[in-house]
Amino acid sequence: MNNLLQLKGRFEQRSNSSKPGAPKLLSNRVVTINELIELRKQLDSLRRYWETVTYFEGAFITIVYKDIVAKSRRAKELLKKNSRTIPNDLIVGARYIEGDKTRHAITYYVDNNTIIETINKLDLAIEILNENFSGKITTEVVDAINDKLYEYVDSRLPKRTFLQVIVDVSSIEQFTVPESKIDSGQRSIVSVFKTELQTSELLRRLGLDISINRVIDDSTILLTPDEITLIMEKAPYLISMATVDLSQLDILDFDKANSSQILSIPDPSNEPIVGVIDTLFDESVYFSKWVKYEDRVDSQIEKTSSDYEHGTGVSSIIVDGASINPDLDDNCGRFRVKHFGVATSKQFSSFTIMKHIKEIVAENREIKVWNLSLGSSLEIQKDFISPEAAILDKIQYDYDVIFVVAGTNKPSDSNSPMLIGAPADSINSLIVNAVNRENMPASYSRVGKVLSFFNKPDVSYYGGDALDRIRVCFPLGEGFVKGTSFAAPWITRKIAYLIHKVGFSREVAKALVIDSAISWSRNMTSSNVIGYGVVPQDINEVINSKDDEIKFILSGESLKYDTYNHQLPVPIVNGQHPFVAKATLCYFPKCSRNQGVDYTNTELDIYFGRMLPNGKGIKTINDNKQSDNVALHEEDAREQYRKWDNVKSIIEYVKSRGRAKKAYDNGLWGFSLKTKERLNTGDGEGLKFGIVVTLKEINGINRIEDFINQCSMRGWLVQRIDVEELIQVHSIAEEEINFDE
């Protein structure tokens, strides 16, 4: 096998030099005066409606668009407050409306003056369209006005304002009041749309006095059925999201056995510590010296022996999984665990667990890798991220940590597909589903996607199935288990190994694990079940590559719009590059739950491939043209290039008659990461990323030495990742030194 290479070089940073273009209609569009009149009528009706609402100052206006719209095609002139506050700054929620065509429904919080001003703009645009354009305007006419081939001389609206109103209207289906769908019969975690008021004050005006211990953040609170009923009666438009609080763990049945075999384990020394948040832990087990345990369950709750099984079993895999299951030895060694018991095996409160998780991570900043094998038996919602997942995503953005989360299980008596349960909809976390020994989805597998878009789960691993189960340690002996709860800890071990024993960043570690699961041939198994694929058992197969492959990692941070390096030398043979390539990118963006389906705030758009001659840019291996001013529907950009996804894999699949690529000019390849913001708040500045690249030689020849030499000549610092050497360095660094007095 070839060693993994770490390339260190300078990434250049460049601001976005392009300026906003003139307003343009999509091709073959016609906007008629009737469309403007109808929207004006709807908006005036909403103005009168909101004048009767006195709980807050503004108004919620939902724009239902005609399809899924890119940020560039959202309203820019309609609902614009002033030159400094554009409509995008006023968004408080977004969801999809299903039907013949999936459409965006985006909710804005605006003041009354903005509504009146928008109505005035529509009135003037109606007059101009009627008098100067015979009641309709086409794409060709708009282009002619922009190109000054058609003179626009009307003084009632500036040319740009008039054209932007027309372009806005072309994308809008209707203005309406936001709708809420919620079951008021159960205690729920409810999020309300943001206004100028604190949520507590807003609810007080409705007649509700909510104590601080029922507040998660500035817009999410725990409400009783009676309180939900009151809001639905007085102000149903306030509720943006709601999920039932009380949930049942998705634990499958266990097979237990009182083992006569006495297991032993040496005392721990300086092994890395992994955090586990789960059900309770039994401190009488053979590996208890390896686990520091804290019980966070309310002392008033009765605890039974079954409450200790799941958590103890999960920690047994992380500490000593390879010894308990020799046939699953992953060569990762052992790990110490700090185990936090936050739930029993019965019904639990999501709200309480969320508060525990926030406190636990904040109080244990030294722990970088967390295993969370708790999951809800309920399915996730399609229009918004669960509050449990949102907490994990925020924690991972705020702190340099990573969560490995079980993909949840469906009941054994269920034959229908079932969506994954919270918190497996966490976007920043590494979500793990289970497969059997034949790498086929386990019988209990639940499915993604998340928000109809994000690829979840991320990967799959052995989780036991049928009679072939995972062996764990239970309080009273050995247990034989199945479930994603017991697939996730094996991936946690790999992530902990890569971060703590080898020294990689969490971004690189996550990218390596996901990349290792991606096959060079098209995977026929649905990605919403197994994710990107099944992770290899041996950690060395995650890190290293085959003899005919060159695998290297890059890491950095985005400081400006374009983060790039165009100086990567790929070996040339007879004027050609005899390689196919794949690249996997991972980053941990800030997310906004109140934005609904538009959840991730930052997009890193990756371009990788050969440098074209004469400075014409990069010929990407996936033909990415998003930055080439090519008209591309938002749905296509998301599907083809994973726009707004924080995990991106681009790959050239191996073909039976694969051909080498022409080498342009000096044979250099390049990278470019374009940083795009959804909310104009600079959330992507300083965003760290990790990239794993693999070059596969189509003739089976090992060209790694040639690659290393050429990289060194181009100024790259190339480090061979010798795992044994790095582990020794880590071990020495972690030793405690006692100085003689």
Side-chain angles (χ1 to χ4, degrees):
M1 299 183 79
N2 282 334
N3 288 121
L4 174 67
L5 305 177
Q6 184 170 29
L7 268 58
K8 294 183 178 180
R10 180 175 177 176
F11 278 98
E12 304 293 337
Q13 305 281 343
R14 178 168 55 199
S15 299
N16 190 354
S17 58
S18 63
K19 297 180 180 179
K24 289 188 175 184
L25 287 174
L26 295 178
S27 60
N28 303 317
R29 288 293 177 96
V30 178
V31 177
T32 68
I33 194 171
N34 290 336
E35 294 177 75
L36 275 72
I37 292 172
E38 178 59 28
L39 290 179
R40 191 252 183 235
K41 178 182 176 182
Q42 293 171 4
L43 200 55
D44 191 47
S45 176
L46 292 175
R47 176 188 63 79
R48 294 193 301 271
Y49 170 78
W50 286 111
E51 285 178 347
T52 66
V53 175
T54 58
Y55 300 119
F56 43 86
E57 298 298 323
F60 296 109
I61 304 293
T62 294
I63 297 181
V64 178
Y65 290 92
K66 293 179 179 178
D67 55 8
I68 296 177
V69 291
K71 177 182 174 181
S72 60
R73 286 184 51 234
R74 293 175 178 175
K76 294 182 180 179
E77 194 61 46
L78 302 183
L79 301 186
K80 179 180 178 181
K81 184 174 183 179
N82 51 49
S83 59
R84 297 182 304 277
T85 306
I86 62 175
N88 204 62
D89 301 326
L90 306 174
I91 294 174
V92 293
R95 63 187 178 90
Y96 292 141
I97 295 178
E98 303 291 342
D100 295 338
K101 189 175 187 180
T102 302
R103 295 158 293 161
H104 249 129
I106 298 179
T107 301
Y108 302 77
Y109 184 64
V110 301
D111 58 45
N112 190 55
N113 289 336
T114 298
I115 298 176
I116 293 173
E117 182 62 27
T118 299
I119 291 173
N120 291 337
K121 289 176 185 176
L122 284 169
D123 283 336
L124 293 173
I126 288 168
E127 292 177 8
I128 295 170
L129 197 61
N130 183 48
E131 296 172 13
N132 299 342
F133 300 94
S134 301
K136 66 178 181 180
I137 191 168
T138 65
T139 299
E140 291 73 22
V141 173
V142 170
D143 290 344
I145 294 173
N146 285 322
D147 296 337
K148 298 182 179 180
L149 300 175
Y150 184 106
E151 188 175 8
Y152 177 90
V153 293
D154 204 296
S155 61
R156 286 170 287 188
L157 279 178
K159 179 176 73 173
R160 187 180 186 90
T161 302
F162 169 73
L163 292 180
Q164 191 60 62
V165 168
I166 295 299
V167 172
D168 285 357
V169 169
S170 73
S171 295
I172 296 174
E173 183 174 292
Q174 67 170 328
F175 292 113
T176 187
V177 176
E179 297 179 357
S180 295
K181 294 180 180 179
I182 179 173
D183 179 4
S184 59
Q186 300 186 65
R187 189 172 75 160
S188 299
I189 300 167
V190 175
S191 295
V192 298
F193 287 122
K194 289 186 177 181
T195 67
E196 73 281 352
L197 301 173
Q198 293 286 334
T199 299
S200 57
E201 171 61 19
L202 179 59
L203 295 180
R204 188 189 66 76
R205 293 187 180 187
L206 292 173
L208 297 177
D209 186 13
I210 306 299
S211 63
I212 190 66
N213 62 4
R214 287 205 275 151
V215 176
I216 295 177
D217 56 35
D218 55 359
S219 64
T220 305
I221 61 275
L222 180 64
L223 296 178
T224 66
D226 289 344
E227 291 165 339
I228 295 170
T229 298
L230 179 63
I231 295 178
M232 293 300 290
E233 289 175 351
K234 291 187 173 183
Y237 42 75
L238 277 178
I239 296 178
S240 62
M241 296 169 275
T243 58
V244 175
D245 176 48
L246 293 178
S247 184
Q248 188 75 31
L249 288 178
D250 67 329
I251 299 174
L252 299 174
D253 294 335
F254 300 146
D255 290 340
K256 307 167 192 176
N258 293 321
S259 175
S260 59
Q261 180 182 1
I262 299 176
L263 297 176
S264 63
I265 189 172
D267 288 344
S269 55
N270 60 347
E271 291 82 4
I273 298 175
V274 172
V276 171
I277 299 174
D278 213 287
T279 63
L280 310 182
F281 177 77
D282 191 301
E283 295 181 278
S284 68
V285 293
Y286 78 96
F287 61 94
S288 60
K289 287 185 178 180
W290 288 72
V291 179
K292 184 177 181 181
Y293 175 52
E294 290 187 20
D295 185 344
R296 298 286 181 112
V297 174
D298 190 329
S299 59
Q300 300 299 313
I301 295 177
E302 182 183 357
K303 299 165 186 173
T304 65
S305 59
S306 62
D307 297 329
Y308 293 82
E309 293 171 343
H310 187 271
T312 305
V314 166
S315 280
S316 73
I317 294 176
I318 294 175
V319 171
D320 203 26
S323 297
I324 303 172
N325 301 271
D327 58 329
L328 293 178
D329 188 358
D330 51 14
N331 285 313
C332 289
R334 294 187 174 99
F335 298 91
R336 289 179 289 165
V337 162
K338 192 165 185 182
H339 187 119
F340 298 88
V342 299
T344 64
S345 60
K346 309 172 196 63
Q347 200 173 52
F348 66 95
S349 165
S350 302
F351 180 85
T352 301
I353 288 182
M354 281 188 287
K355 299 201 81 167
H356 280 317
I357 291 175
K358 288 174 66 176
E359 295 167 357
I360 288 167
V361 176
E363 294 166 2
N364 294 271
R365 295 290 300 276
E366 74 282 0
I367 298 177
K368 300 300 181 185
V369 182
W370 293 87
N371 187 95
L372 186 58
S373 286
L374 297 178
S376 173
S377 59
L378 302 175
E379 294 180 286
I380 58 171
Q381 299 290 328
K382 293 184 178 181
D383 274 347
F384 55 84
I385 293 291
S386 69
E388 300 96 318
I391 287 290
L392 298 186
D393 289 333
K394 186 177 189 308
I395 288 171
Q396 288 170 100
Y397 175 78
D398 290 340
Y399 306 128
D400 183 25
V401 301
I402 181 171
F403 276 84
V404 180
V405 177
T408 64
N409 316 306
K410 69 178 181 180
S412 56
D413 59 355
S414 174
N415 296 319
S416 302
M418 184 177 180
L419 288 174
I420 57 177
D425 53 334
S426 166
I427 302 305
N428 281 331
S429 299
L430 184 60
I431 310 301
V432 184
N433 251 13
V435 292
N436 59 27
R437 293 302 180 103
E438 286 71 45
N439 286 348
M440 296 303 295
S443 60
Y444 47 83
S445 295
R446 290 163 75 171
V447 303
K449 300 181 175 179
V450 170
L451 299 181
S452 306
F453 166 68
F454 291 100
N455 274 337
K456 293 291 174 180
D458 293 291
V459 295
S460 291
Y461 199 72
Y462 310 122
D465 204 5
L467 298 177
D468 184 14
R469 302 196 174 194
I470 305 292
R471 187 175 182 235
V472 298
C473 177
F474 276 165
L476 298 178
E478 61 186 352
F480 296 91
V481 299
K482 63 179 181 178
T484 58
S485 289
F486 305 102
W490 293 102
I491 300 300
T492 299
R493 288 169 54 82
K494 288 178 166 61
I495 290 290
Y497 183 96
L498 294 171
I499 291 176
H500 291 298
K501 295 189 178 183
V502 184
F504 293 142
S505 68
R506 62 174 181 167
E507 291 81 10
V508 168
K510 183 177 179 182
L512 275 168
V513 167
I514 291 176
D515 185 81
S516 72
I518 300 172
S519 170
W520 285 106
S521 58
R522 289 189 183 274
N523 195 331
M524 301 307 293
T525 306
S526 177
S527 63
N528 67 347
V529 180
I530 67 165
Y532 284 96
V534 181
V535 179
Q537 177 176 319
D538 193 330
I539 189 64
N540 292 301
E541 293 184 42
V542 174
I543 298 174
N544 300 316
S545 61
K546 296 178 180 178
D547 289 343
D548 63 348
E549 295 176 352
I550 302 168
K551 182 154 75 170
F552 59 93
I553 56 174
L554 298 156
S555 58
E557 58 182 306
S558 167
L559 301 175
K560 296 183 179 180
Y561 169 71
D562 192 7
T563 302
Y564 66 95
N565 186 299
H566 297 160
Q567 299 292 318
L568 183 69
V570 174
I572 300 173
V573 179
N574 298 324
Q576 296 180 314
H577 301 290
F579 296 95
V580 290
K582 69 172 176 174
T584 301
L585 164 71
C586 289
Y587 56 99
F588 292 74
K590 185 176 183 179
C591 302
S592 296
R593 184 170 182 260
N594 63 359
Q595 294 291 307
V597 294
D598 294 339
Y599 181 62
T600 50
N601 291 13
T602 305
E603 154 79 355
L604 292 187
D605 181 17
I606 183 171
Y607 298 76
F608 169 59
R610 293 169 288 167
M611 297 304 302
L612 291 165
N614 304 318
K616 292 182 179 179
I618 300 173
K619 184 175 180 59
T620 60
I621 65 173
N622 65 333
D623 199 31
N624 189 350
K625 299 184 182 299
Q626 292 182 84
S627 296
D628 296 344
N629 293 320
V630 175
L632 190 67
H633 290 289
E634 181 74 358
E635 294 161 283
D636 295 333
R638 295 186 181 198
E639 184 64 31
Q640 295 176 30
Y641 307 119
R642 306 308 305 159
K643 185 179 179 183
W644 298 112
D645 200 342
N646 61 334
V647 175
K648 292 182 174 65
S649 174
I650 55 179
I651 183 170
E652 298 174 302
Y653 292 108
V654 173
K655 300 177 181 178
S656 57
R657 295 184 178 181
R659 294 186 297 176
K661 302 177 180 66
K662 177 182 178 181
Y664 300 117
D665 288 355
N666 49 15
L668 294 176
W669 289 41
F671 295 91
S672 172
L673 295 178
K674 303 287 196 302
T675 304
K676 303 168 186 177
E677 301 285 7
R678 183 114 65 181
L679 301 176
N680 303 319
T681 51
D683 294 321
E685 186 173 339
L687 187 62
K688 295 179 181 179
F689 60 84
I691 304 174
V692 178
V693 177
T694 310
L695 303 172
K696 187 173 185 64
E697 221 278 358
I698 61 175
N699 301 306
I701 300 173
N702 192 340
R703 301 191 187 275
I704 193 169
E705 297 299 334
D706 187 13
F707 178 74
I708 292 173
N709 291 336
Q710 291 188 40
C711 285
S712 298
M713 292 173 61
R714 281 282 173 179
W716 290 96
L717 178 62
V718 184
Q719 178 186 1
R720 293 178 187 263
I721 302 300
D722 186 322
V723 173
E724 293 302 322
E725 182 178 303
L726 288 172
I727 290 176
Q728 289 180 9
V729 170
H730 170 269
S731 180
I732 294 172
E734 293 296 318
E735 286 182 358
E736 293 186 8
I737 301 176
N738 295 318
F739 295 97
D740 295 331
E741 295 184 2

